[in-house]
Amino acid sequence: MNTLDHVYAYIETHREDALARLFDYLRRPSISAHGEGIAEVAEYIAGVLGGLGLSAEICPTEGWPMVFAASEQIPSRPTVLLYGHYDVQPPDPIDAWVSPPFEPTLRNGRIYARGVGDNKGQHFAQLLAIEALLAFQDELPCNVKVLLEGEEEVGSPHLAPFVSENKARLAADLVITSDGPVHESGRACIMFGVRGVAGFELRAHGARSDLHSGNWGGVAPQPVWQLVHLLSTMRSPEGRITIEGFYDDIEPIGPLEREALRRIDVSHATIKESLGVDRLDTPADRGVAERLCEWPTLTINGLHAGYGGPGMKTVLPCVASVKCDMRLVERQTVERVLERVEAHVRRHAPDVEFIRYGGMDPSRTPMESPYTEPLRAAVHHAQGEEPLLIPALGGSLPDYVFTKILGVPAFTVPYANPDEANHAPNENLEIERFFAGIRTGAAMLWHLGQTG
Ligand SMILES: [Zn+2]
Protein backbone atom coordinates (compact mmCIF):
# COMPACT_ATOMS: atom_id res chain seq x y z
CA MET A 1 0.00 0.00 0.00
CA ASN A 2 1.26 3.50 -0.74
CA THR A 3 0.74 6.45 1.58
CA LEU A 4 -2.56 7.50 0.03
CA ASP A 5 -4.09 4.04 0.48
CA HIS A 6 -3.11 4.19 4.16
CA VAL A 7 -4.66 7.65 4.38
CA TYR A 8 -7.91 6.43 2.78
CA ALA A 9 -8.02 3.51 5.22
CA TYR A 10 -7.48 5.93 8.12
CA ILE A 11 -10.33 8.13 6.86
CA GLU A 12 -12.55 5.01 6.65
CA THR A 13 -11.82 3.88 10.22
CA HIS A 14 -12.35 7.41 11.60
CA ARG A 15 -15.75 8.05 10.03
CA GLU A 16 -17.67 8.32 13.31
CA ASP A 17 -15.16 10.72 14.78
CA ALA A 18 -15.11 12.88 11.62
CA LEU A 19 -18.91 13.15 11.60
CA ALA A 20 -19.05 13.97 15.32
CA ARG A 21 -16.54 16.78 14.86
CA LEU A 22 -18.30 18.15 11.78
CA PHE A 23 -21.58 18.14 13.75
CA ASP A 24 -19.92 20.07 16.57
CA TYR A 25 -18.91 22.74 14.05
CA LEU A 26 -22.34 22.81 12.39
CA ARG A 27 -24.12 23.30 15.73
CA ARG A 28 -22.50 26.73 16.01
CA PRO A 29 -24.37 29.41 14.05
CA SER A 30 -22.14 31.97 12.30
CA ILE A 31 -24.49 34.22 10.40
CA SER A 32 -22.62 37.04 8.68
CA ALA A 33 -25.82 38.88 7.69
CA HIS A 34 -26.30 39.97 11.30
CA GLY A 35 -23.20 38.72 13.11
CA GLU A 36 -24.69 35.97 15.28
CA GLY A 37 -21.92 33.63 16.46
CA ILE A 38 -19.27 35.02 14.10
CA ALA A 39 -16.66 35.86 16.74
CA GLU A 40 -17.16 32.53 18.55
CA VAL A 41 -16.90 30.46 15.38
CA ALA A 42 -13.79 32.36 14.20
CA GLU A 43 -12.20 31.39 17.56
CA TYR A 44 -13.48 27.84 17.28
CA ILE A 45 -12.16 27.15 13.78
CA ALA A 46 -8.84 28.85 14.57
CA GLY A 47 -8.63 26.34 17.44
CA VAL A 48 -9.26 23.44 15.04
CA LEU A 49 -6.50 24.73 12.73
CA GLY A 50 -4.13 25.11 15.68
CA GLY A 51 -4.96 21.53 16.69
CA LEU A 52 -3.64 20.35 13.31
CA GLY A 53 -0.29 21.89 14.16
CA LEU A 54 -0.77 24.91 11.90
CA SER A 55 0.02 28.40 13.17
CA ALA A 56 -3.45 29.93 13.26
CA GLU A 57 -4.51 33.52 13.77
CA ILE A 58 -7.63 35.61 13.66
CA CYS A 59 -7.09 38.62 11.41
CA PRO A 60 -9.40 41.58 12.01
CA THR A 61 -10.85 43.44 9.02
CA GLU A 62 -13.26 46.36 8.94
CA GLY A 63 -15.98 43.71 8.89
CA TRP A 64 -15.93 40.15 10.25
CA PRO A 65 -12.47 38.64 10.74
CA MET A 66 -10.50 36.35 8.46
CA VAL A 67 -8.99 33.20 9.95
CA PHE A 68 -5.56 32.40 8.55
CA ALA A 69 -3.30 29.43 9.23
CA ALA A 70 -0.13 28.04 7.74
CA SER A 71 1.96 24.89 8.04
CA GLU A 72 5.71 25.15 8.34
CA GLN A 73 6.88 26.39 4.92
CA ILE A 74 9.60 24.32 3.28
CA PRO A 75 11.05 26.29 0.33
CA SER A 76 11.51 23.35 -2.07
CA ARG A 77 7.82 22.39 -1.94
CA PRO A 78 4.81 23.90 -3.68
CA THR A 79 2.51 25.99 -1.51
CA VAL A 80 -1.26 25.55 -1.65
CA LEU A 81 -3.64 28.17 -0.31
CA LEU A 82 -6.98 26.59 0.65
CA TYR A 83 -9.78 29.13 0.69
CA GLY A 84 -13.21 28.69 2.29
CA HIS A 85 -15.69 30.55 4.45
CA TYR A 86 -16.89 29.92 7.99
CA ASP A 87 -19.97 32.16 7.76
CA VAL A 88 -23.38 30.84 6.73
CA GLN A 89 -26.62 32.22 5.35
CA PRO A 90 -29.49 32.99 7.73
CA PRO A 91 -31.62 29.84 8.13
CA ASP A 92 -34.96 31.54 7.46
CA PRO A 93 -37.67 30.45 6.84
CA ILE A 94 -37.14 28.21 9.91
CA ASP A 95 -40.57 26.55 9.59
CA ALA A 96 -39.60 25.05 6.24
CA TRP A 97 -36.80 22.95 7.84
CA VAL A 98 -37.63 19.29 8.53
CA SER A 99 -35.01 19.25 11.32
CA PRO A 100 -33.66 22.42 13.00
CA PRO A 101 -30.91 24.15 10.97
CA PHE A 102 -28.35 24.12 13.78
CA GLU A 103 -29.07 20.57 14.98
CA PRO A 104 -27.29 18.49 12.32
CA THR A 105 -29.30 15.39 11.46
CA LEU A 106 -28.64 12.29 9.35
CA ARG A 107 -31.46 11.37 7.00
CA ASN A 108 -31.58 9.53 3.64
CA GLY A 109 -27.80 9.26 3.50
CA ARG A 110 -27.43 13.00 3.93
CA ILE A 111 -26.38 15.43 6.64
CA TYR A 112 -28.92 18.22 7.06
CA ALA A 113 -27.75 21.50 8.61
CA ARG A 114 -27.26 25.15 7.67
CA GLY A 115 -23.76 25.53 6.24
CA VAL A 116 -23.05 21.82 5.74
CA GLY A 117 -22.52 22.29 2.00
CA ASP A 118 -21.93 26.03 1.94
CA ASN A 119 -19.26 25.88 3.18
CA LYS A 120 -18.41 24.30 6.56
CA GLY A 121 -18.63 20.65 5.45
CA GLN A 122 -16.42 21.31 2.44
CA HIS A 123 -13.54 23.16 4.11
CA PHE A 124 -13.78 20.93 7.20
CA ALA A 125 -13.17 18.00 4.82
CA GLN A 126 -9.91 19.73 3.74
CA LEU A 127 -8.85 20.09 7.38
CA LEU A 128 -9.60 16.42 8.12
CA ALA A 129 -7.54 15.57 5.02
CA ILE A 130 -4.57 17.41 6.53
CA GLU A 131 -5.05 15.49 9.77
CA ALA A 132 -5.25 12.14 7.95
CA LEU A 133 -2.01 12.86 6.05
CA LEU A 134 -0.25 13.87 9.26
CA ALA A 135 -1.26 10.55 10.83
CA PHE A 136 1.28 8.87 8.50
CA GLN A 137 4.02 11.43 8.02
CA ASP A 138 5.56 14.18 10.09
CA GLU A 139 5.27 16.74 7.32
CA LEU A 140 2.62 17.51 4.75
CA PRO A 141 3.49 16.67 1.12
CA CYS A 142 3.29 20.36 0.25
CA ASN A 143 3.16 23.62 2.16
CA VAL A 144 -0.38 24.50 3.16
CA LYS A 145 -2.00 27.84 3.96
CA VAL A 146 -5.66 28.14 4.91
CA LEU A 147 -7.77 31.28 4.55
CA LEU A 148 -11.31 31.14 5.96
CA GLU A 149 -13.44 34.19 5.39
CA GLY A 150 -16.35 35.33 7.56
CA GLU A 151 -18.15 37.49 5.01
CA GLU A 152 -18.54 35.35 1.89
CA GLU A 153 -22.31 35.20 2.28
CA VAL A 154 -22.55 38.99 2.32
CA GLY A 155 -20.48 39.47 -0.84
CA SER A 156 -16.87 39.33 0.50
CA PRO A 157 -16.59 43.13 0.94
CA HIS A 158 -13.15 42.95 2.62
CA LEU A 159 -11.55 40.04 0.77
CA ALA A 160 -9.90 42.10 -2.01
CA PRO A 161 -8.34 44.67 0.37
CA PHE A 162 -7.25 41.89 2.75
CA VAL A 163 -5.52 39.98 -0.06
CA SER A 164 -3.92 43.22 -1.37
CA GLU A 165 -2.53 44.06 2.05
CA ASN A 166 -1.35 40.52 2.85
CA LYS A 167 0.25 39.36 -0.40
CA ALA A 168 3.42 38.13 1.28
CA ARG A 169 1.57 36.26 3.99
CA LEU A 170 -0.80 34.63 1.47
CA ALA A 171 1.89 33.95 -1.16
CA ALA A 172 1.24 30.56 -2.74
CA ASP A 173 1.68 28.63 -5.99
CA LEU A 174 -2.02 27.94 -6.37
CA VAL A 175 -5.36 28.42 -4.64
CA ILE A 176 -7.94 25.66 -4.21
CA THR A 177 -11.53 26.38 -3.19
CA SER A 178 -14.00 23.63 -2.38
CA ASP A 179 -17.39 25.29 -2.49
CA GLY A 180 -20.57 24.98 -4.50
CA PRO A 181 -21.99 21.81 -6.03
CA VAL A 182 -20.33 19.34 -8.40
CA HIS A 183 -21.53 19.24 -12.03
CA GLU A 184 -25.33 18.95 -12.36
CA SER A 185 -24.88 15.40 -13.66
CA GLY A 186 -23.39 14.49 -10.26
CA ARG A 187 -19.91 14.08 -11.78
CA ALA A 188 -16.89 15.45 -9.96
CA CYS A 189 -15.44 18.53 -11.60
CA ILE A 190 -12.64 21.05 -11.56
CA MET A 191 -13.48 24.64 -12.41
CA PHE A 192 -10.95 27.04 -13.85
CA GLY A 193 -12.76 30.34 -13.67
CA VAL A 194 -15.87 32.42 -13.33
CA ARG A 195 -17.50 35.10 -15.41
CA GLY A 196 -17.46 38.60 -13.98
CA VAL A 197 -20.46 40.88 -13.59
CA ALA A 198 -21.08 44.60 -13.96
CA GLY A 199 -24.30 46.57 -13.61
CA PHE A 200 -25.66 49.93 -14.65
CA GLU A 201 -28.87 51.89 -14.90
CA LEU A 202 -30.03 54.36 -17.55
CA ARG A 203 -32.62 57.05 -16.83
CA ALA A 204 -34.23 59.18 -19.51
CA HIS A 205 -36.07 62.33 -18.47
CA GLY A 206 -38.71 64.37 -20.32
CA ALA A 207 -40.99 67.14 -19.10
CA ARG A 208 -41.32 68.20 -15.46
CA SER A 209 -44.32 65.86 -15.00
CA ASP A 210 -46.39 63.25 -16.86
CA LEU A 211 -48.48 64.81 -19.66
CA HIS A 212 -51.72 64.27 -21.63
CA SER A 213 -50.60 62.39 -24.78
CA GLY A 214 -53.16 64.26 -26.93
CA ASN A 215 -52.24 67.72 -25.69
CA TRP A 216 -48.48 67.14 -25.63
CA GLY A 217 -47.67 64.09 -27.83
CA GLY A 218 -45.53 65.29 -30.76
CA VAL A 219 -44.47 68.34 -28.75
CA ALA A 220 -42.85 67.12 -25.51
CA PRO A 221 -39.87 64.71 -25.73
CA GLN A 222 -40.67 61.04 -25.11
CA PRO A 223 -38.19 59.46 -22.65
CA VAL A 224 -39.53 55.92 -23.18
CA TRP A 225 -38.84 56.07 -26.93
CA GLN A 226 -35.46 57.61 -26.23
CA LEU A 227 -34.53 54.70 -24.00
CA VAL A 228 -35.85 52.11 -26.46
CA HIS A 229 -33.77 53.69 -29.26
CA LEU A 230 -30.70 53.85 -27.07
CA LEU A 231 -31.05 50.20 -26.05
CA SER A 232 -31.43 49.18 -29.69
CA THR A 233 -27.99 50.68 -30.41
CA MET A 234 -26.44 48.41 -27.76
CA ARG A 235 -27.29 44.95 -29.08
CA SER A 236 -28.16 43.72 -32.57
CA PRO A 237 -30.97 41.23 -33.26
CA GLU A 238 -28.21 38.73 -34.15
CA GLY A 239 -27.02 38.87 -30.55
CA ARG A 240 -23.90 40.98 -31.06
CA ILE A 241 -23.31 43.60 -28.39
CA THR A 242 -22.75 46.79 -30.39
CA ILE A 243 -21.23 48.97 -27.68
CA GLU A 244 -17.98 50.16 -29.25
CA GLY A 245 -14.93 48.29 -27.96
CA PHE A 246 -17.02 45.86 -25.93
CA TYR A 247 -15.27 42.74 -27.29
CA ASP A 248 -11.79 44.31 -27.54
CA ASP A 249 -10.14 42.57 -24.58
CA ILE A 250 -11.58 39.10 -24.93
CA GLU A 251 -9.23 36.14 -24.75
CA PRO A 252 -9.66 33.71 -27.69
CA ILE A 253 -10.81 30.17 -26.83
CA GLY A 254 -7.80 27.82 -26.60
CA PRO A 255 -7.69 24.20 -27.82
CA LEU A 256 -7.94 22.68 -24.30
CA GLU A 257 -10.94 24.88 -23.56
CA ARG A 258 -12.58 23.81 -26.86
CA GLU A 259 -12.12 20.17 -25.94
CA ALA A 260 -13.47 20.73 -22.39
CA LEU A 261 -16.49 22.62 -23.77
CA ARG A 262 -17.21 19.75 -26.14
CA ARG A 263 -17.27 17.30 -23.20
CA ILE A 264 -19.61 19.35 -21.02
CA ASP A 265 -21.90 20.66 -23.76
CA VAL A 266 -25.65 20.10 -23.54
CA SER A 267 -27.79 19.91 -26.68
CA HIS A 268 -29.99 22.81 -27.71
CA ALA A 269 -32.95 20.41 -27.72
CA THR A 270 -32.40 19.52 -24.03
CA ILE A 271 -32.22 23.16 -22.99
CA LYS A 272 -35.28 24.13 -25.06
CA GLU A 273 -37.21 21.29 -23.47
CA SER A 274 -36.19 22.24 -19.92
CA LEU A 275 -36.98 25.94 -20.45
CA GLY A 276 -40.20 25.34 -22.38
CA VAL A 277 -39.05 27.42 -25.38
CA ASP A 278 -38.75 26.68 -29.10
CA ARG A 279 -35.65 28.79 -29.72
CA LEU A 280 -32.59 29.97 -27.78
CA ASP A 281 -31.11 33.45 -27.67
CA THR A 282 -29.05 34.56 -30.66
CA PRO A 283 -26.58 33.74 -32.15
CA ALA A 284 -28.50 30.53 -32.80
CA ASP A 285 -25.61 28.22 -33.70
CA ARG A 286 -23.42 28.69 -30.61
CA GLY A 287 -23.09 25.76 -28.15
CA VAL A 288 -24.63 26.12 -24.69
CA ALA A 289 -21.42 25.50 -22.73
CA GLU A 290 -19.54 27.96 -24.93
CA ARG A 291 -22.23 30.59 -24.34
CA LEU A 292 -21.96 30.24 -20.56
CA CYS A 293 -18.17 29.96 -20.24
CA GLU A 294 -16.75 32.06 -23.04
CA TRP A 295 -19.08 34.88 -24.04
CA PRO A 296 -20.09 38.09 -22.31
CA THR A 297 -23.75 39.08 -22.14
CA LEU A 298 -25.86 42.21 -21.83
CA THR A 299 -29.13 41.45 -20.05
CA ILE A 300 -32.00 43.86 -19.45
CA ASN A 301 -32.99 43.15 -15.85
CA GLY A 302 -35.87 45.60 -15.69
CA LEU A 303 -37.46 48.30 -17.82
CA HIS A 304 -39.78 50.75 -16.11
CA ALA A 305 -41.93 53.58 -17.38
CA GLY A 306 -45.46 54.86 -17.60
CA TYR A 307 -48.74 53.10 -17.13
CA GLY A 308 -49.13 49.33 -16.74
CA GLY A 309 -52.51 49.13 -15.02
CA PRO A 310 -55.82 47.82 -16.38
CA GLY A 311 -57.29 49.32 -19.56
CA MET A 312 -55.66 52.32 -21.23
CA LYS A 313 -54.23 55.55 -19.94
CA THR A 314 -53.25 58.05 -22.63
CA VAL A 315 -50.25 59.40 -20.80
CA LEU A 316 -46.88 60.68 -22.00
CA PRO A 317 -44.58 59.57 -19.14
CA CYS A 318 -41.88 61.98 -18.01
CA VAL A 319 -39.29 59.39 -17.01
CA ALA A 320 -38.12 55.95 -18.11
CA SER A 321 -35.43 53.77 -16.61
CA VAL A 322 -33.71 50.49 -17.34
CA LYS A 323 -31.39 48.31 -15.26
CA CYS A 324 -28.90 46.02 -16.98
CA ASP A 325 -26.21 43.56 -16.04
CA MET A 326 -23.33 42.30 -18.12
CA ARG A 327 -21.53 39.02 -17.52
CA LEU A 328 -17.87 39.49 -18.36
CA VAL A 329 -15.20 37.09 -19.56
CA GLU A 330 -11.44 37.08 -19.28
CA ARG A 331 -9.76 39.81 -19.83
CA GLN A 332 -12.61 42.27 -19.63
CA THR A 333 -12.68 44.40 -16.48
CA VAL A 334 -15.63 46.04 -14.75
CA GLU A 335 -13.91 49.41 -14.94
CA ARG A 336 -13.14 49.35 -18.67
CA VAL A 337 -16.47 47.87 -19.73
CA LEU A 338 -18.48 50.42 -17.74
CA GLU A 339 -16.35 53.20 -19.24
CA ARG A 340 -17.23 51.93 -22.72
CA VAL A 341 -20.93 51.75 -21.93
CA GLU A 342 -20.83 55.28 -20.55
CA ALA A 343 -18.99 56.57 -23.65
CA HIS A 344 -21.59 54.83 -25.83
CA VAL A 345 -24.44 56.48 -23.93
CA ARG A 346 -22.72 59.91 -24.15
CA ARG A 347 -22.42 59.47 -27.93
CA HIS A 348 -25.94 58.23 -28.66
CA ALA A 349 -28.08 59.94 -26.02
CA PRO A 350 -26.01 62.54 -24.16
CA ASP A 351 -28.85 63.65 -21.89
CA VAL A 352 -29.65 60.14 -20.61
CA GLU A 353 -28.42 59.67 -17.07
CA PHE A 354 -25.88 56.84 -16.63
CA ILE A 355 -25.59 55.25 -13.17
CA ARG A 356 -22.83 52.75 -12.42
CA TYR A 357 -23.43 49.82 -10.07
CA GLY A 358 -19.91 48.38 -10.05
CA GLY A 359 -19.40 44.62 -10.12
CA MET A 360 -16.80 41.89 -9.95
CA ASP A 361 -14.00 41.12 -12.42
CA PRO A 362 -13.89 37.75 -14.19
CA SER A 363 -11.24 35.17 -13.33
CA ARG A 364 -9.61 32.51 -15.45
CA THR A 365 -6.87 30.00 -14.83
CA PRO A 366 -5.42 28.59 -18.09
CA MET A 367 -6.14 24.89 -18.51
CA GLU A 368 -2.47 24.48 -19.55
CA SER A 369 -1.54 25.15 -15.90
CA PRO A 370 1.03 22.64 -14.54
CA TYR A 371 -1.38 22.03 -11.62
CA THR A 372 -4.25 20.80 -13.82
CA GLU A 373 -2.80 17.31 -14.17
CA PRO A 374 -2.04 16.63 -10.46
CA LEU A 375 -5.50 17.90 -9.49
CA ARG A 376 -7.19 15.80 -12.18
CA ALA A 377 -5.22 12.74 -11.10
CA ALA A 378 -6.05 13.39 -7.43
CA VAL A 379 -9.81 13.66 -7.99
CA HIS A 380 -9.74 10.56 -10.16
CA HIS A 381 -7.76 8.60 -7.55
CA ALA A 382 -9.94 9.69 -4.62
CA GLN A 383 -13.34 9.39 -6.30
CA GLY A 384 -12.78 6.71 -8.93
CA GLU A 385 -14.05 8.78 -11.85
CA GLU A 386 -12.60 11.24 -14.28
CA PRO A 387 -13.58 14.79 -13.27
CA LEU A 388 -15.19 17.10 -15.81
CA LEU A 389 -13.02 20.13 -16.53
CA ILE A 390 -15.15 23.26 -16.62
CA PRO A 391 -13.46 26.33 -18.16
CA ALA A 392 -15.66 28.80 -16.27
CA LEU A 393 -18.80 29.10 -14.22
CA GLY A 394 -21.54 31.20 -15.83
CA GLY A 395 -22.08 33.03 -12.54
CA SER A 396 -19.68 35.26 -10.63
CA LEU A 397 -17.49 34.70 -7.56
CA PRO A 398 -14.56 36.79 -6.27
CA ASP A 399 -11.87 34.44 -7.66
CA TYR A 400 -10.16 37.43 -9.27
CA VAL A 401 -8.69 38.31 -5.88
CA PHE A 402 -6.48 35.21 -6.25
CA THR A 403 -5.77 35.24 -10.00
CA LYS A 404 -5.45 39.01 -10.40
CA ILE A 405 -4.46 40.45 -7.01
CA LEU A 406 -2.40 37.56 -5.64
CA GLY A 407 -1.44 36.57 -9.20
CA VAL A 408 -1.69 32.77 -8.88
CA PRO A 409 -3.78 30.07 -10.59
CA ALA A 410 -7.03 29.30 -8.77
CA PHE A 411 -9.06 26.11 -9.00
CA THR A 412 -12.46 25.20 -7.60
CA VAL A 413 -12.95 21.55 -6.71
CA PRO A 414 -16.47 21.28 -5.26
CA TYR A 415 -17.64 18.37 -3.11
CA ALA A 416 -21.36 19.06 -2.58
CA ASN A 417 -24.25 17.28 -4.30
CA PRO A 418 -26.04 19.34 -7.00
CA ASP A 419 -29.19 19.49 -4.82
CA GLU A 420 -27.38 20.70 -1.67
CA ALA A 421 -30.07 23.40 -1.19
CA ASN A 422 -27.49 25.99 -0.20
CA HIS A 423 -29.06 29.29 0.91
CA ALA A 424 -32.39 27.41 1.19
CA PRO A 425 -34.16 25.41 3.90
CA ASN A 426 -32.98 21.80 4.41
CA GLU A 427 -29.43 22.44 3.22
CA ASN A 428 -27.70 19.08 2.99
CA LEU A 429 -24.58 17.19 2.03
CA GLU A 430 -24.54 13.53 1.04
CA ILE A 431 -22.48 11.68 3.68
CA GLU A 432 -20.45 9.84 1.04
CA ARG A 433 -19.60 13.13 -0.66
CA PHE A 434 -18.24 14.44 2.65
CA PHE A 435 -15.90 11.45 2.94
CA ALA A 436 -15.02 11.63 -0.77
CA GLY A 437 -14.13 15.27 -0.03
CA ILE A 438 -11.72 14.26 2.74
CA ARG A 439 -10.06 11.69 0.46
CA THR A 440 -9.90 14.22 -2.39
CA GLY A 441 -8.37 16.86 -0.12
CA ALA A 442 -5.64 14.41 0.91
CA ALA A 443 -5.07 13.20 -2.67
CA MET A 444 -4.74 16.76 -3.99
CA LEU A 445 -2.06 17.67 -1.44
CA TRP A 446 -0.27 14.40 -2.07
CA HIS A 447 -0.32 14.71 -5.88
CA LEU A 448 0.71 18.39 -5.72
CA GLY A 449 3.59 17.33 -3.45
CA GLN A 450 4.86 15.11 -6.28
CA THR A 451 5.25 18.16 -8.54
CA GLY A 452 7.69 19.91 -6.17
ZN1 LIG B 1 -23.29 30.72 -0.11
Side-chain angles (χ1 to χ4, degrees):
M1 288 220 298
N2 71 23
T3 312
L4 264 188
D5 291 324
H6 285 293
V7 170
Y8 293 171
Y10 176 93
I11 293 166
E12 204 48 37
T13 54
H14 289 74
R15 282 170 69 105
E16 292 295 315
D17 176 60
L19 276 181
R21 285 159 66 197
L22 173 64
F23 280 26
D24 191 47
Y25 187 20
L26 294 170
R27 277 189 199 105
R28 301 160 190 270
S30 46
I31 305 168
S32 46
H34 46 68
E36 182 187 345
I38 286 283
E40 294 83 344
V41 168
E43 283 285 347
Y44 175 86
I45 198 67
V48 172
L49 288 157
L52 298 174
L54 308 186
S55 65
E57 54 193 310
I58 294 171
C59 312
T61 71
E62 282 175 24
W64 309 130
M66 304 277 172
V67 177
F68 177 74
S71 66
E72 193 195 334
Q73 305 289 301
I74 297 162
S76 60
R77 295 183 188 170
T79 300
V80 185
L81 175 62
L82 300 170
Y83 164 78
H85 62 93
Y86 67 85
D87 65 321
V88 302
Q89 285 277 329
D92 314 75
I94 301 268
D95 290 348
W97 287 77
V98 174
S99 49
F102 297 107
E103 287 174 28
T105 305
L106 292 179
R107 209 161 57 238
N108 319 317
R110 296 172 184 228
I111 309 158
Y112 286 83
R114 171 52 88 229
V116 64
D118 185 8
N119 167 253
K120 287 174 172 169
Q122 300 207 46
H123 65 255
F124 201 70
Q126 311 284 40
L127 306 189
L128 292 175
I130 292 173
E131 185 176 281
L133 283 163
L134 289 174
F136 295 93
Q137 44 197 51
D138 296 338
E139 291 166 348
L140 289 169
C142 45
N143 303 318
V144 172
K145 296 179 179 180
V146 180
L147 178 65
L148 298 177
E149 191 192 347
E151 295 182 306
E152 199 271 353
E153 300 293 11
V154 292
S156 302
H158 300 99
L159 182 60
F162 181 81
V163 172
S164 298
E165 288 156 22
N166 291 277
K167 281 188 193 168
R169 179 147 59 154
L170 298 171
D173 294 296
L174 73 156
V175 176
I176 300 175
T177 302
S178 292
D179 199 3
V182 297
H183 188 255
E184 60 204 18
S185 62
R187 279 271 293 276
C189 62
I190 301 175
M191 281 184 280
F192 292 77
V194 291
R195 286 198 293 189
V197 63
F200 64 88
E201 179 176 348
L202 301 172
R203 266 187 227 156
H205 300 273
R208 205 172 281 120
S209 64
D210 284 0
L211 299 169
H212 186 293
S213 71
N215 295 347
W216 295 101
V219 177
Q222 300 221 15
V224 190
W225 273 119
Q226 187 182 26
L227 213 53
V228 168
H229 287 142
L230 174 58
L231 288 169
S232 77
T233 66
M234 298 171 87
R235 188 179 189 266
S236 76
E238 293 74 36
R240 186 172 168 80
I241 296 163
T242 45
I243 296 163
E244 269 163 56
F246 186 83
Y247 294 103
D248 280 3
D249 308 310
I250 293 178
E251 189 124 282
I253 306 173
L256 293 179
E257 279 79 10
R258 281 254 172 250
E259 175 58 19
L261 291 171
R262 198 186 57 72
R263 286 172 190 269
I264 60 172
D265 208 14
V266 186
S267 78
H268 282 197
T270 307
I271 299 292
K272 286 182 198 166
E273 166 80 31
S274 78
L275 295 178
V277 296
D278 57 13
R279 65 191 159 78
L280 298 184
D281 195 8
T282 50
D285 55 349
R286 199 174 275 163
V288 174
E290 181 182 331
R291 292 173 191 235
L292 293 173
C293 298
E294 307 290 348
W295 289 93
T297 60
L298 169 58
T299 299
I300 298 176
N301 307 126
L303 187 54
H304 297 274
Y307 182 69
M312 257 193 96
K313 180 184 180 190
T314 49
V315 65
L316 194 170
C318 68
V319 63
S321 67
V322 62
K323 292 192 183 202
C324 299
D325 78 39
M326 298 172 291
R327 294 290 165 170
L328 310 179
V329 299
E330 192 71 10
R331 299 181 283 256
Q332 293 181 304
T333 70
V334 173
E335 192 57 34
R336 271 201 308 273
V337 163
L338 286 176
E339 260 166 33
R340 280 166 188 166
V341 177
E342 184 165 15
H344 182 93
V345 173
R346 293 285 76 89
R347 229 175 357 258
H348 291 266
D351 56 340
V352 167
E353 206 182 334
F354 174 80
I355 301 151
R356 276 175 192 239
Y357 284 128
M360 198 180 274
D361 283 336
S363 170
R364 195 55 99 74
T365 291
M367 296 182 89
E368 294 82 3
S369 164
Y371 301 111
T372 302
E373 179 48 27
L375 293 180
R376 185 208 60 77
V379 175
H380 188 197
H381 193 261
Q383 302 192 30
E385 68 176 357
E386 200 56 47
L388 291 170
L389 306 182
I390 301 178
L393 196 66
S396 306
L397 292 167
D399 291 15
Y400 75 94
V401 303
F402 302 121
T403 50
K404 306 232 158 90
I405 300 178
L406 203 55
V408 300
F411 301 86
T412 299
V413 185
Y415 299 152
N417 28 290
D419 56 352
E420 61 170 320
N422 44 345
H423 297 210
N426 305 307
E427 181 175 352
N428 67 86
L429 179 63
E430 290 172 12
I431 300 170
E432 290 315 318
R433 288 193 188 270
F434 173 59
F435 289 109
I438 305 174
R439 287 197 305 276
T440 307
M444 289 193 296
L445 297 183
W446 192 82
H447 278 86
L448 288 167
Q450 309 298 302
T451 67

